[in-house]
């Protein structure tokens, strides 16, 4: 079932300014449409990232989902990949992914392992965009208008994508 909510006037202005169209998922809701939760292989995800000019790196120089020092996108949600691409397009910032669906992250429903989270390297551009565009919800966390959560965890951004961010 797909849960969508039309934006109010203020939200529509923000969405249009970001080039995100006229609707977005309601904050805090998960887009449960089959396409959003479709699982991608590492190869499918990296092809989409590469086409969008998004880079990724791994401290272990690998992509094995079962090795914590690797950066894997195997079994990532399609909406997560599309959300990263939406952020790059809206912000104009370079994005380097440093964490995906590999083991070694915290457990939970909306976890890295389950395909909802990715980690980004820090950059001044991303810092300025996220903190200047999204709503602070305390504890170094910001929430986008579509309900995605950006958490600055010391040396990286830990991002939870409940949907594609208005793609």
């Amino acid at each position: 079932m797909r849960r969508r909510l039309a934006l109010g006037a203020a939200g529509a202005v923000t969405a249009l300014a970001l080039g995100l169209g006229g609707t977005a998922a309601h904050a805090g809701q998960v887009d449960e449409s089959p396409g959003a939760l479709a699982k991608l292989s590492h190869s499918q995800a990296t092809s989409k990232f590469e086409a969008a000019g998004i880079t990724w790196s791994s401290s272990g120089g690998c992509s094995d989902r079962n090795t914590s020092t690797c950066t894997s996108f195997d079994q990532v949600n399609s909406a997560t990949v599309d959300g990263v691409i939406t952020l790059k397009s809206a912000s104009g910032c370079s994005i380097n992914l440093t964490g995906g669906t590999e083991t070694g992250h915290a457990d939970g429903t909306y976890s890295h392992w389950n395909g909802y989270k990715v980690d980004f390297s820090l950059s001044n551009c991303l810092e300025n965009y996220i903190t200047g565009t999204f709503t602070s919800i305390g504890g170094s966390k910001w929430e986008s208008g579509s309900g995605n959560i950006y958490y600055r965890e010391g040396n990286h951004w830990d991002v939870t994508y409940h949907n594609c961010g208005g793609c």
Side-chain angles (χ1 to χ4, degrees):
M1 175 172 131
R2 187 174 201 137
R3 298 183 211 174
R4 305 291 280 199
L5 180 67
L7 294 172
V13 169
T14 301
L16 290 173
L18 295 175
L20 301 179
T23 63
H26 182 269
Q29 283 190 329
V30 176
D31 182 347
E32 295 175 358
S33 65
L37 297 178
K39 300 295 185 180
L40 301 180
S41 69
H42 180 79
S43 177
Q44 290 170 318
T46 57
S47 289
K48 289 181 82 169
F49 289 142
E50 189 172 68
I54 294 167
T55 60
W56 58 95
S57 57
S58 163
S59 61
C62 50
S63 61
D64 180 358
R65 177 169 160 85
N66 295 301
T67 303
S68 64
T69 56
C70 294
T71 298
S72 175
F73 303 112
D74 189 36
Q75 298 300 302
V76 69
N77 293 334
S78 179
T80 300
V81 172
D82 292 342
V84 176
I85 294 167
T86 298
L87 176 67
K88 182 180 188 313
S89 176
S91 69
C93 299
S94 295
I95 295 177
N96 181 59
L97 297 159
T98 59
T101 59
E102 65 279 348
T103 191
H105 298 280
D107 293 334
T109 301
Y110 302 111
S111 64
H112 283 268
W113 185 260
N114 289 337
Y116 289 92
K117 287 186 163 205
V118 291
D119 293 340
F120 303 156
S121 297
L122 297 179
S123 73
N124 287 334
C125 185
L126 279 174
E127 176 88 17
N128 292 336
Y129 182 81
I130 291 167
T131 62
T133 305
F134 302 144
T135 302
S136 175
I137 56 174
S140 299
K141 293 181 183 179
W142 285 263
E143 184 174 13
S144 70
S146 60
N148 297 321
I149 305 296
Y150 295 79
Y151 177 30
R152 190 169 194 268
E153 284 189 322
N155 66 350
H156 68 277
W157 286 101
D158 178 87
V159 184
T160 307
Y161 284 102
H162 296 290
N163 55 66
C164 68
C167 60

